[in-house]
Every structure is written in C-alpha cells, then in structure tokens.
Amino acid sequence: MFDSRQFQSILHQLMGRRQFFENIGSGIYGAALASMLCRDAYGEIEADSTTSQGSRQTFDLAPRRPNFEPKAKAVIHLFMNGGPSQMDLFDPKPELDRRHGQSYFEKIAGEVESPGSGGALMRTPFKFAQHGQSGMWVSNAMPHFAKCVDDVAMIRSMHTVNLTHEPALYHIHSGRTIPGQPSLGSWVTYGLGSESANLPAYVVLDDPLGLPVNGTQSWASGYLPPIYQGTRFKATGTPVLNLDREFDEPDEVTNAERSLIGRLDRLHRSRRPGQAQLDARIASYELAARMQLMAPEALDLSQETQQTLEAYGIGDKITDSYGRRCLIARRLVERGVRFVQLYIDSQIWDTHDHLQTELQKACDRTDKPVAALLNDLKARGLFDSVLVLWGGEFGRLPIAQLRGGDESVTSGRDHNKNAFTCWMAGAGIKAGTVHGSTDEIGLMAVEDRVSVSDWHATILHLLGLHYSDLYYERNGLKEKLTGVDQARVIKEILA
C-alpha cells in the first residue's frame, strides 16, 4: 500500500502542476457534459413530478394531473392509411360535375406527385345526399356513417405540408415530416400516464394484411423514453404473444416468483441509473406479468352479445377484421387504456386508379364497424369521455389520374396536400357541425383552414393539456408535439 507522500511523489513524476490542473479542468468539463447528456436523455428535474407540464425526472405510466379539467379521458384514433378522397366522401363539388373533362392539369402541375399521369377535372362517381338533423353531406359510399352525422364535427379545411406518403404520415402522427419523432399517442401518455395498471397506456391495433408504408414508426416514442411507445395487439389469434404462463402453478407461487424478480430488477436498476432502455424493459416485463390476468379478459370478444358482434360486422368476411379491432378498442378504453390507434391494411385509401371500385372497397371494410363503435360508445355511456378521431394523412386531387385502359373505369386521383377532410366525435365535440371549406373544385382549403398543428393542439386541449406546456427538454430545446409552429385550438368545433 502507498502512503500519501509516496502517492504525491508518483503523481509528481507522472505530471507537473500545470498538467494536473489541465486534466482536472477536463474532468470538470466532462462532468458538465455528462450532466447535460443525462438531462437530455431524462429531462429536467421538476419540483412537482406529478404535473404533466414539461419534462420531469420520473418516467412511468402513473396517472398525472392535466393542466386543466379535461373533456376526454381516452382517445380512439381511426387512422385511414393512404389519404381518403374528400370530394368523393364528405365534400361534394357540383362544379366538378359541370366542368367534368375540362383541362386543368397545367394549372396545378406543381401540386401533382405523378405529373406524367395527370388528366382533366373528374366528377365523383358517387351520389351525395344530406343526412340527419344537421343536414351534413355524405356520399352513398358510407351508408352507415351517414346515420351518425349528428354525432360528429366534420373538418373540411385540413391541409398538410407534403404530398408524399412517408413525410405526410410522419407529420400527421408526430408533427414533423421526418422519422425519429414521438408520436401523438406517445405525447399523450407521456403527459397523462395511464388509468390502468394492468394494460398498456397506448395500444396499436394494426392490420394483419399490412403495415403503413413507414412501418411501425407511426407509433414510435422517438426521443421520449421508450416506455411511451405504442404496444401492438393482434386482432386475430393470440392478441399478445408470449403472454400465457408456460405451465400451470398456484397463484401464490407465481406471485412469490414475481416479487423476487421485482426485487432483483430494482437492485439491478439501482446500480445502473440513467438507463432509459433498461427502465423501459423492466417496466415492460412488469406490465406483461400483470397483463396475464387482465389482457385475456379485455380481449375476449366471446363475452359480447351476438347482437353487438353483428353490429360491428364480426363474422362477415369483409368487415370482420376491422370490426374486431373497433370492438377491442371500445373494450380497452372501457378498462382504462388512454390511447388506442387503429390502422387499416397498407394503403387501401390510396386510390390512384379504379377510384369507384377501390374507394368503395375501403368504405365497405370500415363503414359499418366505425358506425357501430360510435353507437356502442353512446349506449355504454362512454361517448362523453372518449374522443374519436377519423382521417388520413392527406386528401386527393380534383383531376383524374390516368393509368390506361378505359379511363371512365380505370382513372383515380393523385395525392393532395392542400385539402383533406377529417372528423372528430365524442368528448367535448360540438356534434353535427361542419368547420371550414375548400374552393369550388376541392383543390385548396380556403375558409377556416386547419393545420396539422391546430389539429394536434385541439386533441391535447380536449385531454386537458395545453400544447405549449407539454414539452420534453432535449439538447437545450423544449421539444413539443406542435414544434415551433403557431398552433391554435379549433374552438369552433368544441361544445
């Protein structure tokens, strides 16, 4: 063993006084850098870690206080991949009937993703009628939804910033046109946590026939801790893989095993602070253990009446898959899940050709289940506390997209970033209202325009969160869902 004098002598031989202070200075800088990196990864330490305002030190799914009294406690997001055509579903344009076949491509060439196939103005092949006491216009492609129009607020003046699927998908889900950003569902669960200790806060019900073109990134947590990313459930077969016990044993033995594993996990974690992936993995395992008791019951549709199953179209080849997911969504929010997101196939709304047949197929698969969900939420007293969202990433153009053959049959519509339609229903929504409008041919949103940031701000507002107060500190910036965009809450559609 060295005494202090021997240590000082050795230190003096290794470096002079000037070198010593140079190295200790680097150490201070290193400590400062480590502190900054830790803060970037885990957020600022807050005096009150129970509030949803801003970053915080503790990352878990415990329920958190909103900024103000919320209208909605949960969200069901019915995302329609591909871009539904607004002038064929919800936004009738008589001018397209009058000007059908007129040349117009040269006026909007810069707004067309595939300019080589641009054609003339094209009328809708569907028939529109007014429905309900509100007199809202809906085409005959959606006969079931047409009976629910008095329950929704229709926004006809949405617009976005990119006409290509991937950037538009990133934008509608995360507020940015680039990958690696937290999704809307991740922001909501980061801000509010979960009302259920035994189910995930954010559940994704994707289509077994295919993912969106950007894969699983639509429900990623980005730079937020991974505990806030979406958890995928399967609608058919075993909804959650590897959830069942490997063998039967008394509950007391299982509980003792879990208690021991929990103590070992906490000991392991205490020796490795600041490991977001480790924290998320432990939390995921603990949740999976609790889900063994709750998830099978929540996902068991045999508990539903035959009348309910038929209303959702379960058992019908066309509507069975989406109907199951809509019914599972209702059962999940009923049990405290905060955010449920449904996807439909890869791009079934991306009607570049055969507009009438392809758009009708998309409606046939979704129309009845969506209407059943709205009616079911009302019947069960959930409509006033659950916010339902419907829409895609952009809309379609008023001109024909030509793909050869008989143009009256094969023509479709290309992407349109300047106008699309979505609707909202349920908690806090002024039902039976139409907000905003497009120009006479449906090309541009012109009145009461609504940006994606406005839409995000409104969703957060209904959940009791102010969009400017929900942030995550990263690289010295207060990152928000709405970014640096000027956003406004769409108060005109709020009850």
Side-chain angles (χ1 to χ4, degrees):
M1 296 292 290
F2 295 120
D3 60 26
S4 60
R5 284 174 297 182
Q6 288 175 308
F7 178 77
Q8 290 174 8
S9 175
I10 293 172
L11 183 62
H12 180 73
Q13 295 174 30
L14 293 175
M15 67 176 69
R17 183 176 62 180
R18 187 183 300 257
Q19 290 175 298
F20 173 75
F21 281 109
E22 285 178 355
N23 279 274
I24 197 170
S26 299
I28 292 171
Y29 296 147
L33 177 61
S35 175
M36 292 169 63
L37 291 174
C38 182
R39 186 171 65 242
D40 288 340
Y42 294 98
E44 294 283 3
I45 296 175
E46 242 184 345
D48 180 7
S49 64
T50 64
T51 179
S52 64
Q53 298 184 20
S55 296
R56 52 180 178 268
Q57 187 181 27
T58 303
F59 299 108
D60 56 32
L61 295 175
R64 297 183 182 276
R65 293 199 305 268
N67 301 129
F68 49 86
E69 188 65 27
K71 296 289 187 180
K73 293 181 180 179
V75 176
I76 297 176
H77 185 192
L78 307 170
F79 187 69
M80 302 296 158
N81 322 19
S85 178
Q86 70 276 13
M87 68 276 295
D88 295 301
L89 297 175
F90 309 117
D91 193 7
K93 294 298 172 185
E95 190 67 15
L96 288 179
D97 287 328
R98 289 189 286 268
R99 298 171 62 183
H100 177 72
Q102 287 186 14
S103 176
Y104 202 80
F105 170 75
E106 64 279 1
K107 298 181 182 180
I108 60 172
E111 299 293 339
V112 179
E113 187 182 52
S114 305
S117 60
L121 291 173
M122 183 172 71
R123 64 179 171 234
T124 180
F126 299 96
K127 304 297 182 183
F128 274 87
Q130 290 179 283
H131 297 272
Q133 293 183 350
S134 61
M136 201 176 295
W137 290 94
V138 179
S139 82
N140 61 347
M142 288 187 163
H144 296 280
F145 173 74
K147 300 175 183 178
C148 301
V149 292
D150 289 336
D151 296 323
V152 311
M154 189 75 68
I155 304 175
R156 287 182 176 170
S157 53
M158 291 287 296
H159 61 95
T160 186
V161 297
N162 198 294
L163 50 71
T164 301
H165 287 294
E166 289 86 347
L169 284 166
Y170 294 136
H171 193 215
I172 198 75
H173 290 299
S174 72
R176 303 282 295 278
T177 58
I178 56 176
Q181 308 299 304
S183 67
L184 170 61
S186 295
W187 277 111
V188 169
T189 52
Y190 167 69
L192 295 174
S194 178
E195 293 294 330
S196 173
N198 301 318
L199 290 169
Y202 176 15
V203 172
V204 173
L205 299 167
D206 60 306
D207 197 317
L209 294 179
L211 292 171
V213 294
N214 64 340
T216 63
Q217 294 193 60
S218 291
W219 53 86
S221 59
Y223 50 74
L224 291 178
I227 194 172
Y228 300 114
Q229 70 184 8
T231 299
R232 293 172 67 184
F233 279 12
K234 294 171 60 181
T236 56
T238 303
V240 184
L241 298 178
N242 304 315
L243 191 62
D244 295 334
R245 302 177 186 179
E246 292 186 35
F247 48 84
D248 291 332
E249 63 182 11
D251 290 343
E252 293 79 5
V253 175
T254 300
N255 292 334
E257 290 175 347
R258 291 176 182 172
S259 178
L260 175 59
I261 292 171
R263 291 197 297 272
L264 293 173
D265 282 343
R266 288 189 290 274
L267 177 62
H268 183 77
R269 181 167 50 189
S270 69
R271 295 173 178 174
R272 296 163 180 81
Q275 298 287 332
Q277 295 286 349
L278 175 62
D279 292 346
R281 181 169 295 183
I282 291 173
S284 177
Y285 288 152
E286 291 175 345
L287 176 61
R290 296 192 299 272
M291 284 171 59
Q292 286 185 333
L293 300 176
M294 177 64 78
E297 185 275 335
L299 303 172
D300 183 8
L301 301 190
S302 67
Q303 298 180 15
E304 301 289 338
T305 66
Q306 186 61 33
Q307 182 180 5
T308 298
L309 298 177
E310 290 176 358
Y312 278 91
I314 297 171
D316 184 290
K317 181 178 179 180
I318 295 174
T319 53
D320 183 84
S321 177
Y322 200 72
R324 286 180 181 278
R325 277 173 278 150
C326 283
L327 181 50
I328 288 172
R330 188 268 288 165
R331 291 179 65 86
L332 290 174
V333 296
E334 205 170 27
R335 288 157 176 78
V337 175
R338 182 76 69 185
F339 200 98
V340 184
Q341 203 164 39
L342 281 71
Y343 290 83
I344 177 69
D345 209 335
S346 177
Q347 295 289 108
I348 68 166
W349 299 96
D350 196 23
T351 49
H352 288 281
D353 52 52
H354 294 86
L355 173 68
Q356 184 171 10
T357 56
E358 294 305 310
L359 189 62
Q360 188 63 65
K361 286 179 183 177
C363 292
D364 288 345
R365 288 177 60 183
T366 59
D367 180 41
K368 183 176 182 179
V370 169
L373 174 63
L374 294 177
N375 292 328
D376 202 10
L377 290 172
K378 291 172 63 179
R380 291 177 173 271
L382 296 169
F383 198 67
D384 292 336
S385 61
V386 176
L387 176 64
V388 183
L389 312 171
W390 188 102
E393 66 267 39
F394 45 50
R396 316 304 293 193
L397 290 173
I399 63 172
Q401 186 169 11
L402 308 177
R403 294 293 183 95
D406 183 352
E407 294 179 2
S408 64
V409 176
T410 63
S411 295
R413 299 192 192 275
D414 207 346
H415 307 168
N416 183 7
K417 67 180 176 62
N418 298 304
F420 65 104
T421 298
C422 71
W423 56 258
M424 305 170 77
I429 295 298
K430 185 187 295 183
T433 61
V434 175
H435 179 77
S437 64
T438 54
D439 61 20
E440 59 185 6
I441 59 173
L443 174 65
M444 303 282 292
V446 294
E447 182 182 356
D448 294 327
R449 286 162 54 86
V450 176
S451 69
V452 172
S453 295
D454 298 336
W455 184 71
H456 285 157
T458 304
I459 295 167
L460 294 180
H461 176 83
L462 288 165
L463 290 162
L465 297 169
H466 196 286
Y467 69 90
S468 65
D469 289 338
L470 180 66
Y471 65 85
Y472 184 88
E473 188 141 350
R474 186 174 73 113
N475 297 331
L477 298 175
K478 291 182 178 180
E479 299 275 12
K480 307 179 184 69
L481 171 62
T482 53
V484 297
D485 295 339
Q486 285 290 92
R488 78 175 189 95
V489 174
I490 317 165
K491 295 183 178 179
E492 296 86 346
I493 67 169
L494 303 184

